[in-house]
Amino acid sequence: MRQGLFSPRKLVRKFTPAMRPDANLPNAQRIGPALQTPVKTGETLGRIGSLEVRMARNFKEVKKAQRLRYDVFYEEMSAIADAHTLATRRDADPFDAYCDHLLVVDHDLQKRNKLGRLKPEIVGTYRILRQEIADQHAGFYTAAEYDIQSLIDANPGKRFMELGRSCVLKPYRNKKTVELLWHGIWSYVLRHNIDVMLGCASIEGTNPDAIAGQLAFLHHNARAPEEWRVRAVEDRYVEMNRMPAEELNSKEALRALPPLVKGYLRLGAFIGDGAVIDHQFGTTDVLIIMPVSELNTRYVNYYGADASRYSS
């Protein structure tokens, strides 16, 4: 365990949970049942200037987050939309119905709704799924790519949480927005007594040979220790050890990694065993595993033992 001023494991025990309802089926191409309204709260988790981080308050805000995801994943990047996704212009799946949705909204960027009221626009989002909610429904989204159940079974006393669908509007891809998102996640971790965060992070492209340096860098420098190691499901497993460590240009490989992956590494994340090609999204996925007790204490101290850095 990394040493520092605060022990995240102890801090996490101080805070308590909320809850959520219903949906269906992992990896479904079809759209699931109607979204359930999240627990309503006006609470701000953090604020920097005009930017505020908080949870989605209602179904309308979840739909706005799905539109943002569509704009980034399908319009800007190379995800392939089916007919329904094209028609709705929303990135939606059954998991959205029972996940919590973390939002960054810009109060200086406002748009009128159908009633003529000005509402701040959503410029960043993260989808969060807690273990107890996943257990009531279709499990974790990540389970379609990685054998995470073996890790969960090996840690029966720990509370797991999945992070996914990370997305920020292009003009807002800066330190301020990313810090607010992570401030929101840290607040959520404390409140819900989370012990382990996990989820898939994506590298653009579906040819592992074209990103061999990035995969090999992660394999040699960030592979999870045995007790936290999770393997990609057998029929989707892609070898990450694509070149010997001595042949690797580590500086170049690190520079090429997506900012989100580099951010996870700075926080102290481990990487799973094997990558997975996601042809729908045009990406190669790697598994991120972040035990709270192993988080870099520099970042824990930065955001605050009680997530108070950007609280308002």
Side-chain angles (χ1 to χ4, degrees), residues 113-132:
N113 64 15
K114 289 176 183 175
L115 298 173
R117 295 185 189 132
L118 283 170
K119 295 284 184 181
E121 286 290 274
I122 294 167
V123 299
T125 184
Y126 244 109
R127 190 167 78 176
I128 302 176
L129 179 56
R130 282 177 283 130
Q131 184 179 349
E132 61 267 35

Side-chain angles (χ1 to χ4, degrees), residues 131-205:
Q131 184 179 349
E132 61 267 35
I133 305 302
D135 288 346
Q136 292 170 27
H137 302 286
F140 286 119
Y141 180 93
T142 308
E145 297 189 1
Y146 288 88
D147 178 26
I148 57 171
Q149 193 58 47
S150 61
L151 185 64
I152 293 167
D153 291 344
N155 292 275
K158 292 185 171 63
R159 293 164 66 91
F160 284 74
M161 177 181 103
E162 181 181 69
L163 294 170
R165 288 301 206 270
S166 168
C167 187
V168 176
L169 209 56
K170 198 169 188 175
Y172 291 85
R173 284 175 207 158
N174 52 43
K175 186 183 177 200
K176 190 162 66 168
T177 312
V178 171
E179 283 201 357
L180 264 188
L181 278 170
W182 272 103
H183 191 274
I185 289 167
W186 181 234
S187 300
Y188 192 98
V189 162
L190 293 175
R191 177 160 307 169
H192 294 282
N193 298 321
I194 301 301
D195 294 295
V196 186
M197 293 177 273
L198 54 76
C200 291
S202 300
I203 299 170
E204 244 188 298

